[in-house]
Amino acid sequence: MESYILAIDHGTTSTRAILFNKAQEIVAIAQKEGSVEYPHPGWVVQDANLIWNDTMTAISDVLDKSGVKPNQIAGIGISNQRETTVLWDRKTGLPVDKAIVWQSRQTADICDEWKERGLEPYVRTKTGLRIDPYFSASKIAFILRNNPEVRALAEEGEILFGTMDTWLVWKLTGGYSHVTDASNASRTLLCDIENLVWDERLLDDFDIPNAILPNIVGTSENIGKTSPYVFFQEEIPIASIVGDQQAALFGQLCLDAGQAKNTYGTGGFLLMNTGENIVRSSSGLLSTIAWKIGDTITYALEGSIFVSGSIMKWMRDQLHLFDNVSESCMMAEQAKTTGGVYIIPAFVGLGAPFWDERAKASISGLTLGTDKNQLVRAALESMAYQARDVMDAMVRDSGYPITRLKVDGGAAVNNFLLQFQSDLLQVPVERFKINELTALGAAFLAGLAVGYWKSDELRIESDRVFNPQRDKSELDKRYADWLNAVAACQAFKPEMI
C-alpha cells in the first residue's frame, strides 16, 4: 500500500493540507481561507479555535479529494506562521483571548518600556533578535497584563502558551504534547539560541512565568502521535514542526552556508543559511535558528518585511484597482514606468533593516497624470526594493556574496516582479516548479525523521531563472530614490499634524 507525507501549512490568511508522494510530487491540496481581525489601528488578531477548525477541515478535504486513507500517512510535517501568540487554559483547552498575530503592533508601548529599561543589548546577545512587537514575548506580556485572572492561573501552571505550531500539536495530540521546535522557539524573544533553552533572566525581566512555556524539541524528529479520537482513529507520527520561513529555506534546499531565499508572502522574508555559526548583525537583521536535526543546530540570518504580497490584496480590496491579483503583472508591464511614484507599504511600521514600528505607509511622486497601472507597478516594485534593503545588509553582515536568489510565495508567480528583482539585485532569481515550498520543507523534514526519504534523495526542479537585463547604474539611481522615499516616510509622525 502506497504511503504519503502530509504537510500542514498554516499561514496568516489560510491553512493548507498537502499530500506528497515518494517521488516528492503533490498528490492533492486542500485550502481553507482564514479570518483576520483588525479591532483597532495597528492591531491584528485571530481566533485560535477557528484556526484549529480550519486545519481539520483542510485535512479532511485533502483526504477526501485524494482518496488517501489516514493509515496511508507515514508522517505529518507542520509549518506555521511564526510569533503569533495564543494562551489557553490547560484544563478546558480554550484560548483565554484572541491570538495576537505577528503583524500586530499593539504591544509597541511594552516594547518601548523594555527598551527604556536598557534590556536591548542582552536581548540581542541571547536571542539574536531585537525588542519589537513582532516577536512573541511582548504579546504574552500584553495578555497577562490585561487579564489579572489569567496571570494568576499562569503563575499556578494552569495556562499554556504557544505559537501556532504548539497550538496545533497540542490539539492534534489531544492535549498530550506541549512542545515547540527550535526554529519557532528562536522567534519568541525568550530563547537563548546558542544553548537552546528558555532564558531565565529574560523571563524575569519580562515577568513571564516559566510554567506556561512548551518544551523545545528538534525540527525533524518523532514529536508525538495524533490522538485516535482527533485524527480519524489513527495514531500518526507528527515528525516535524518548523516555522514557515525556515521551512521554505529547507524546501528550496538552501542547505549550505551562504545560500539564500526570499518568500513573497503576506510579508517578505529573506533568509540566508549561515551553517553552525551565529552571525551577529550590525545592519538591522536577525540571527535565528533555521532548524535542529539531531544534535546539530543550523543558523540563519533573516530580514523580515512586514508587508510584501499583502499590498496587492490592499490594492484589490481597498482601492479596487483590479479584480484579480493575476492582472497586476500585465498592468505593470503596460505602465512602462512608475512615473516617479514610490509606495512605501509601512502599514504596520517598517521591519528589517529599519525597524521603525511607528513609520506610516506613504505614496510619493504622485502627479495628475499618475494612473492605476503606474500605482500597481510601484506596488510590485516596492516588494523588490524592500528585498534589496535586506539583501544588501545580509551581504555586509555575513561576508557571503549572494550569487543566486531562490524565491517562492504567492507573488513569485508574477514574472514582472521577478524580472525587476533580478535587475535590481543584478543576480539570477530562480523560481521552482513547485511553489508550495514551505509545505515541501515541512514534508522533507518529516519524511527524513520517519525514514520516508534519505537526505540524498531530496530534489527540487527549477521552473525558470530570471537573469539581469537592465543597466545597473539606472537601477542604482532608482534605488537611491527609493531610500529617500523611505527616509521621508520615517520622518513623518502623526503627532506632527
Side-chain angles (χ1 to χ4, degrees), residues 253-329:
L253 299 181
C254 293
L255 307 182
D256 296 323
Q259 293 182 319
K261 71 90 190 175
N262 187 25
T263 297
Y264 304 94
T266 301
F269 301 91
L270 273 89
L271 269 74
M272 173 190 280
N273 185 326
T274 62
E276 296 182 45
N277 297 317
I278 302 174
V279 175
R280 304 289 182 178
S281 175
S282 59
S283 305
L285 303 184
L286 308 174
S287 306
T288 196
I289 293 176
W291 47 76
K292 177 179 181 288
I293 300 177
D295 294 329
T296 301
I297 300 175
T298 297
Y299 294 93
L301 264 181
E302 176 174 336
S304 305
I305 299 162
F306 295 149
V307 174
S308 185
S310 56
I311 189 174
M312 305 313 294
K313 186 175 184 293
W314 175 74
M315 289 200 142
R316 182 193 65 193
D317 297 344
Q318 303 300 325
L319 301 188
H320 307 290
L321 297 185
F322 44 77
D323 295 323
N324 193 302
V325 173
S326 62
E327 300 171 46
S328 63
C329 182

Side-chain angles (χ1 to χ4, degrees), residues 343-371:
I343 296 178
I344 313 298
F347 295 99
V348 288
L350 288 171
F354 307 105
W355 294 105
D356 184 348
E357 69 265 20
R358 289 184 168 79
K360 299 297 180 183
S362 68
I363 303 177
S364 63
L366 291 171
T367 70
L368 290 175
T370 301
D371 61 29

